[in-house]
Amino acid sequence: MEGRQLLVLFGSQTGTAHDVADRVTREAKRRHFAVRSLPMDEYNVTSLIQERLVIFVCSTTGQGDPPDNMRMFWKFLLRRDLPSSSLSGVQFAVLGLGDSSYQKFNVVGKRLQKRLEQLGGQPIHDLGLADDQHDLGVDAVVTPWLSKLWETLLNMYPLPPGLEIISSDVCPPPKYKVHFLDSNDEPKIRLDQNGTSSYSQPVDRAGTRHLAPPSSLSPFHARLISNRRVTHPDHFQDVRLIKLDITDSGINYSPGDVVMIHPQNSADTVEEFVSMLGLDADAKFTIEENDPDIALPPGIPNPCTPRWLLTHYLDINSVPRRSFFELLWYHAGGQPGSDAELEKEKLAEFCTAAGQEELYNYCNRVKRNIREVLQDFTKTCAKIPFSYLFDLIPPLQPRAFSIASSPKAHPGELHVLMAVVHYRTKLFLPRLGICSNWLASLDPEGEHAESSMTSVAIWVKRGTIRFPTDPSIPLIMVGPGTGLAPFRSEISERCAEGMGGLVLFFGCRNESKDFFCNEEWQSPTERGLLKVFTAFSRDQ
């Protein structure tokens, strides 16, 4: 096994690159590589010069930006003092994931490939550029790219004597070991640095301030101040102005910044999922490593319960990727001709190249989610081991919202202007945005107003909009609909200091139904600080 050490590093924003990295890891283990898989920012980048073989999987976000969990890694690679021979002993391949509808398609993967070569790295495979706009999604590029990669690697690093490639018919072991507890068991409890699990419980506001700004691994649990609908009750679109209390949070932000919100699945979908799998929602279990190269997921309390896991961690309402069906196939099957065996045959078909169009029509085109897929594969659903849920279902991803408030005009508060996502496809039930519908359901005056059920796990990151640091510079802003949010932040900030030179172009359907923040513009307009030009498309 000497020399057959493989490192997989990924940069993922929405989870797709993470999913592909997991696939690379599974396929590498089938070929008896000793493999580690990590987000780039969790890897000690100074150790890269000691690696022999590295596969990079990275997505491109926003306007050509690297994912959040790749930023520090990328910043280090860009250092000018790095010798051009730094990575001369490193063999590598880069697989980029992008969307060709954006101007800077896959630019992160392209830049990473170029920089690695500048530092002396030795590419062993062509740069892969997967496109989410393809009818078959990123798999149209990922599958053939990986096939050629393994062919190359097996030529470079042949299998040790006496070993064969593990058949794809053999179910890989689960990522983690799960042990359900008896009432007499007393497990060790693993908590985060606040003494709580990261996502579900508010921090102790009577204690000290955060030592570091809140982050994805240690979010601040902000109290909900208000949740107001800002569109007319009979308007088709429900838009909310959410106000959060960030007193003593350590959060600092500027106009143009973005707040990241960790959502929760609704109680009714959790109960439905619990019922489908026949789980005891409140049974306690512990989670342990099953592979020394796969760390335990952050933020999960230990012990945990299925209810907590399904509410706060597993994205049971996401549209499943192809890997979901590949892993689900291992738990399917029954007697020839039985419904269980027919389900296995259908899952196998979804995993073939010929079945990709049907899979796209079944899942992606209509946005069918994991819960609904399992409802269609009831025989298979009943056989899924609980420990395998971590492999099958991706973790809930945070959602990004432009901050709509101003530190000067709204001290101790953070506001979000948010459209509640609700639309229909060919499926009977409407598609609901997980985060927006959860936020819209929170009631600061309800029976749970003082509990963690009305706190929201948040952290802040720099946005792509940068306003002039000199407030005397005139500013023209075009913000139709909820695109108004960052401009409300800047307008409030400047007006709080008595600075003007602001021009806002705002568009919506009806002046009387979705003219957001109309009442707020009257005072700065009368003071000569702001001019507002409007376009109401349905009023003319």
Side-chain angles (χ1 to χ4, degrees):
M1 299 296 288
E2 183 65 29
R4 306 187 91 253
Q5 307 283 329
L6 173 62
L7 174 65
V8 181
L9 295 177
F10 61 88
S12 182
Q13 192 69 32
T14 63
T16 304
H18 191 170
D19 182 71
V20 172
D22 284 347
R23 177 178 174 182
V24 175
T25 301
R26 287 193 300 270
E27 293 191 11
K29 288 183 176 181
R30 286 179 49 223
R31 292 162 175 81
H32 301 283
F33 282 92
V35 59
R36 293 171 293 149
S37 178
L38 291 166
M40 293 189 201
D41 280 356
E42 291 184 19
Y43 175 74
N44 182 0
V45 65
T46 60
S47 300
L48 194 59
I49 58 174
Q50 301 168 16
E51 304 290 348
R52 292 187 60 181
L53 182 59
V54 187
I55 307 301
F56 296 91
V57 183
C58 56
S59 61
T60 297
T61 69
Q63 303 301 314
D65 301 316
D68 288 345
N69 61 1
M70 177 183 169
R71 290 178 185 268
M72 298 307 297
F73 181 94
W74 179 237
K75 184 178 180 180
F76 182 90
L77 285 190
L78 293 178
R79 283 175 48 172
R80 294 183 180 181
D81 60 348
L82 295 178
S84 59
S85 60
S86 298
L87 303 180
S88 58
V90 179
Q91 298 172 314
F92 75 91
V94 175
L95 176 57
L97 308 180
D99 187 321
S100 59
S101 65
Y102 287 84
Q103 183 178 5
K104 297 183 178 180
F105 170 64
N106 253 320
V107 69
V108 172
K110 295 173 183 176
R111 289 173 178 169
L112 178 60
Q113 175 86 13
K114 182 178 180 180
R115 184 56 177 159
L116 292 171
E117 291 179 358
Q118 288 174 344
L119 295 174
Q122 304 171 42
I124 59 171
H125 194 22
D126 294 337
L127 169 64
L129 299 175
D131 184 8
D132 197 45
Q133 286 296 312
H134 193 283
D135 285 346
L136 304 182
V138 297
D139 284 327
V141 168
V142 171
T143 299
W145 188 88
L146 284 177
S147 179
K148 292 181 181 178
L149 174 69
W150 298 127
E151 182 178 336
T152 299
L153 288 179
L154 287 178
N155 285 330
M156 295 171 58
Y157 301 96
L159 287 168
L163 291 179
E164 297 180 351
I165 296 176
I166 298 173
S167 170
S168 58
D169 292 342
V170 177
C171 180
K175 288 181 180 179
Y176 314 114
K177 294 178 182 177
V178 171
H179 172 63
F180 278 90
L181 305 178
D182 295 328
S183 57
N184 296 327
D185 289 338
E186 295 183 3
K188 295 180 180 179
I189 297 178
R190 174 173 54 84
L191 300 171
D192 67 13
Q193 65 190 40
N194 295 319
T196 67
S197 59
S198 295
Y199 303 132
S200 63
Q201 298 295 327
V203 297
D204 181 7
R205 294 188 178 85
T208 58
R209 295 168 64 92
H210 280 249
L211 297 177
S215 64
S216 59
L217 296 179
S218 182
F220 177 74
H221 292 263
R223 179 180 63 87
L224 179 66
I225 299 173
S226 65
N227 178 3
R228 180 170 67 91
R229 177 168 176 151
V230 294
T231 48
H232 194 277
D234 66 4
H235 187 59
F236 81 99
Q237 178 71 71
D238 181 358
V239 176
R240 302 298 179 101
L241 182 63
I242 307 285
K243 297 184 179 182
L244 301 171
D245 181 1
I246 58 170
T247 304
D248 293 335
S249 65
I251 289 177
N252 295 302
Y253 68 89
S254 302
D257 284 347
V258 169
V259 61
M260 306 300 294
I261 297 180
H262 190 88
Q264 296 181 19
N265 290 312
S266 65
D268 58 339
T269 59
V270 169
E271 290 298 334
E272 181 181 313
F273 198 91
V274 165
S275 177
M276 280 197 308
L277 270 67
L279 302 173
D280 178 351
D282 298 309
K284 291 183 179 181
F285 66 87
T286 58
I287 177 173
E288 302 174 9
E289 289 183 353
N290 199 28
D291 184 327
D293 293 323
I294 301 178
L296 292 177
I300 296 181
N302 209 3
C304 188
T305 65
R307 186 187 306 280
W308 190 99
L309 189 73
L310 296 169
T311 300
H312 300 282
Y313 186 76
L314 295 179
D315 197 356
I316 58 177
N317 294 294
S318 61
V319 176
R321 301 183 175 96
R322 175 175 167 177
S323 60
F324 171 87
F325 294 93
E326 291 173 344
L327 292 172
L328 191 61
W329 176 85
Y330 290 112
H331 307 290
Q335 295 295 323
S338 66
D339 290 343
E341 188 62 22
L342 292 175
E343 288 183 5
K344 185 166 189 174
E345 292 173 4
K346 176 55 69 175
L347 290 169
E349 182 180 344
F350 281 158
C351 298
T352 63
Q356 291 311 290
E357 183 175 353
E358 184 178 0
L359 176 59
Y360 179 83
N361 291 331
Y362 173 70
C363 257
N364 299 76
R365 188 181 299 279
V366 296
K367 306 299 182 185
R368 193 185 308 270
N369 63 41
I370 287 174
R371 285 187 303 108
E372 293 166 327
V373 169
L374 292 180
Q375 288 171 346
D376 287 346
F377 290 84
T378 54
K379 303 298 184 183
T380 306
C381 177
K383 299 178 182 178
I384 300 173
F386 182 80
S387 60
Y388 231 88
L389 294 182
F390 291 95
D391 298 75
L392 279 170
I393 305 175
L396 274 167
Q397 296 296 319
R399 271 55 167 182
F401 296 92
S402 292
I403 296 175
S405 53
S406 151
K408 290 186 173 68
H410 314 101
E413 296 183 5
L414 188 150
H415 301 175
V416 173
L417 185 66
M418 173 200 75
V420 181
V421 178
H422 183 288
Y423 63 96
R424 287 194 171 276
T425 66
K426 290 183 177 180
L427 298 180
F428 176 73
L429 294 176
R431 307 294 92 184
L432 305 178
I434 302 306
C435 190
S436 61
N437 280 272
W438 169 65
L439 287 172
S441 71
L442 299 180
D443 181 5
E445 306 298 330
E447 61 176 307
H448 301 294
E450 298 301 321
S451 74
S452 62
M453 295 183 69
T454 52
S455 70
V456 181
I458 65 169
W459 62 99
V460 167
K461 69 174 188 176
R462 183 183 176 93
T464 56
I465 297 177
R466 289 291 97 190
F467 293 103
T469 54
D470 182 355
S472 67
I473 297 176
L475 194 60
I476 297 174
M477 298 162 283
V478 183
T482 55
L484 174 68
F487 303 134
R488 179 181 185 260
S489 176
E490 176 68 3
I491 291 170
S492 300
E493 186 84 349
R494 283 204 186 189
C495 290
E497 298 179 311
M499 303 300 294
L502 300 166
V503 178
L504 172 66
F505 288 83
F506 177 79
C508 62
R509 293 196 175 197
N510 306 98
E511 181 177 12
S512 62
K513 294 187 176 181
D514 56 341
F515 188 2
F516 310 140
C517 308
N518 179 25
E519 67 283 355
E520 296 182 20
W521 310 142
Q522 183 174 353
S523 175
T525 300
E526 292 174 350
R527 293 161 59 195
L529 304 178
L530 171 69
K531 291 182 180 179
V532 180
F533 295 88
T534 56
F536 305 115
S537 63
R538 303 301 171 91
D539 286 346
Q540 46 190 308

